Amino acid sequence: MKRKVREALLAYLFLVPSFLILGTFVFWPVGFSFVLSFFKWDFKNMRNPVFAGFENYREIFRFFPPMDQSFAQAFLWTCFLIFVSMCIVVAVYGIVRKNRTAWFLLIASILLYAFEGQFLRTFTLVLSLSLLIVIFLKTKGYLSKHLAGLIAAVLGLTTLMLTFDKRFYTVVDFLLEGRDKNLFVKAMFNTFYYVALSVPITIGLALGIALMLNSNIKFRAFFRTAYFIPFVTSVVAISLVWRWIFDDAYGLLNYFLSFFNVQKIAWLKDERWTIPTIAIVSIWRTVGYDAVIFLAGLQSIDRSYYEAAEVDGANTVQKFLYITWPLLSPTTFFLLIVSLINAFKVFTEVYVLYSGLPGPYNNSGLTMVYYVFDRFYVQQRMGIACAAAYVLFAIILIFTLIQFKVGRNVVEYVS
């Protein structure tokens, strides 16, 4: 017993320097900034911060002028549309499986969606919920096996409803209206737009490049190095080069587009192109890193799987769908988490491309990290900056937890 205690103490003594360094430069600043997010800490109260409670968090979400409808109403309408979409998807599956009960669920869902009478909506809501439970219990095995497909169908149908049906005031409408009345909401909107634009494209392009590099092509080492060089190059240098490429008068990109009779685009002067411009630079910079990680995952797959598939007569598409993609899921899962976190922290590209401004005008390039930077260094309202930073941390944490939850059912780890 004494020997185990002595070994444990010796191990912790070796770890003390690391704990001291991490505690001094990581844990202490993180914890102290969280405490300061509840204080009024600005230029006037630099030496003596004043406790303000949740006032900093209320301040960053304060709208001027006030919103016409509350976020609670928008959130309830969004949940309502998600529920209706879920009912319709499950009902369609039940009809395909020749389940007669599913017809009642489908009719109730359509009535619930089509009519706006409060009594009818409440009645059909209870009916749909009851029938949904019955269908779920009868098809429990299917839902647990194909949960990813069900979620994708529900989200797709919900997106269509949110986009094309303007009868309901949803979270999307709240954000569209609120981005002109609150800078932090606009920063959130721009950040989500950037994440949705850059992450899927980067992952898709990286997978295609990795598949190409994994094949028997000439100069494979050269291409691998060429794709990876942008990732290890300074972001500032890359952004400065892209400023010249995006120049609307003398830029290289507009010069190439002129060969296809495309009119000159004001990449750095039109607010419509602000987030796509930033996304182009980020995709070009990070796609090489993702491709190298994908390439490592591809080379770790045992060739015997492909040989067995060729014996069974599988073509290239079938081998990709049933061998490469499932066995590459751990690598994809890792890249999705890393790419999502990095995308939410975008800042340098905005700062350099637009010479320290959040876009050409109208804060079109304002991101959440840039909002924190502006409040902390420019306006010196450090308490609000800390609060905004922890809102960003909470958003990243929620998305990461969702990815881990979904990854448990989707990712396949093969020894």
Side-chain angles (χ1 to χ4, degrees):
M1 184 66 182
K2 293 182 179 180
R3 182 181 178 183
K4 291 183 178 180
V5 173
R6 187 166 56 252
E7 290 178 351
L9 289 175
L10 185 62
Y12 281 114
L13 284 175
F14 279 110
L15 292 174
V16 164
S18 298
F19 285 146
L20 289 176
I21 294 174
L22 289 174
T24 304
F25 296 102
V26 179
F27 300 136
W28 165 249
V30 169
F32 187 60
S33 62
F34 179 71
V35 173
L36 287 175
S37 68
F38 299 98
F39 283 79
K40 185 178 181 181
W41 185 35
D42 51 23
F43 185 76
K44 295 180 180 179
N45 302 281
M46 183 71 70
R47 296 177 179 267
N48 299 303
V50 179
F51 181 75
F54 289 95
E55 181 60 29
N56 289 330
Y57 292 91
R58 286 194 290 266
E59 176 67 23
I60 62 177
F61 286 107
R62 186 165 290 142
F63 296 93
F64 183 80
M67 298 287 289
D68 297 332
Q69 300 190 45
S70 65
F71 178 79
Q73 293 174 313
F75 180 75
L76 289 175
W77 278 119
T78 306
C79 293
F80 166 77
L81 291 179
I82 293 174
F83 174 77
V84 171
S85 302
M86 183 170 58
C87 291
I88 294 175
V89 170
V90 175
V92 171
Y93 167 72
I95 293 172
V96 173
R97 301 284 293 181
K98 298 181 180 180
N99 190 330
R100 296 180 179 179
T101 313
W103 283 103
F104 294 100
L105 177 62
L106 182 62
I107 295 172
S109 303
I110 294 174
L111 290 175
L112 180 65
Y113 175 71
F115 295 97
E116 296 186 4
Q118 186 65 34
F119 173 78
L120 181 60
R121 181 177 290 113
T122 305
F123 174 76
T124 50
L125 179 63
V126 175
L127 177 62
S128 300
L129 182 60
S130 303
L131 293 176
L132 178 64
I133 294 174
V134 174
I135 299 296
F136 177 78
L137 292 176
K138 288 186 177 182
T139 60
K140 185 177 179 181
Y142 172 81
L143 292 178
S144 60
K145 182 179 179 181
H146 302 277
L147 184 60
L150 176 67
I151 293 175
V154 171
L155 291 178
L157 187 57
T158 304
T159 303
L160 290 175
M161 291 182 178
L162 292 175
T163 305
F164 296 106
D165 197 334
K166 300 303 180 183
R167 295 179 301 156
F168 307 103
Y169 188 81
T170 62
V171 173
V172 176
D173 299 308
F174 182 87
L175 292 175
L176 289 174
E177 181 185 354
R179 63 178 178 171
D180 296 326
K181 299 180 179 180
N182 182 284
L183 279 179
F184 188 73
V185 172
K186 183 156 193 173
M188 289 177 60
F189 184 89
N190 290 339
T191 305
F192 279 107
Y193 179 26
Y194 168 80
V195 170
L197 195 63
S198 63
V199 173
I201 296 177
T202 304
I203 296 295
L205 287 177
L207 180 58
I209 293 171
L211 290 172
M212 180 190 69
L213 294 177
N214 195 44
S215 60
N216 295 322
I217 62 171
K218 295 181 179 180
F219 308 109
R220 182 167 54 181
F222 168 77
F223 285 115
R224 186 163 46 196
T225 305
Y227 283 117
F228 191 73
I229 282 178
F231 182 76
V232 297
T233 307
S234 170
V235 182
V236 176
I238 289 173
S239 300
L240 287 174
V241 172
W242 277 95
R243 280 184 62 182
W244 172 74
I245 294 174
F246 283 129
D247 188 272
D248 56 331
Y250 307 104
L252 191 63
L253 185 57
N254 279 337
Y255 175 73
F256 281 121
L257 291 177
S258 65
F259 292 121
F260 302 96
N261 295 324
V262 177
Q263 296 295 327
K264 290 184 178 180
I265 299 174
W267 297 98
L268 298 176
K269 296 179 182 178
D270 191 344
E271 67 170 336
R272 296 175 301 173
W273 293 99
T274 303
I275 298 300
T277 298
I278 299 168
I280 290 172
V281 178
S282 300
I283 291 169
W284 180 83
R285 178 177 174 267
T286 58
V287 70
Y289 170 80
D290 291 358
V292 170
I293 300 298
F294 268 130
L295 183 61
L298 288 171
Q299 293 178 347
S300 66
I301 299 176
D302 196 339
R303 297 298 305 174
S304 61
Y305 294 112
Y306 297 103
E307 294 170 359
E310 290 175 359
V311 172
D312 293 335
N315 55 34
T316 304
V317 176
Q318 290 173 330
K319 285 190 288 185
F320 175 79
L321 292 177
Y322 297 105
I323 298 177
T324 305
W325 184 245
L327 297 181
L328 208 60
S329 57
T331 306
T332 309
F333 178 64
F334 165 76
L335 286 176
L336 278 174
I337 292 178
V338 174
S339 300
L340 199 71
I341 293 174
N342 290 332
F344 272 107
K345 298 189 299 180
V346 60
F347 169 76
T348 310
E349 292 87 347
V350 182
Y351 189 83
V352 178
L353 280 175
Y354 296 98
S355 303
L357 299 175
Y361 59 92
N362 199 24
N363 294 300
S364 58
L366 183 68
T367 61
M368 297 178 73
V369 175
Y370 196 100
Y371 180 91
V372 174
F373 165 79
D374 180 73
R375 290 299 182 273
F376 196 98
Y377 289 101
V378 179
Q379 301 186 20
Q380 294 190 344
R381 303 175 68 183
M382 285 74 79
I384 292 179
C386 292
Y390 276 95
V391 172
L392 173 61
F393 168 77
I395 292 174
I396 295 175
L397 180 63
I398 291 171
F399 275 95
T400 305
L401 292 176
I402 292 174
Q403 284 181 301
F404 272 105
K405 185 67 175 178
V406 175
R408 291 179 182 177
N409 301 323
V410 177
V411 178
E412 299 183 17
Y413 295 98
V414 179
S415 59

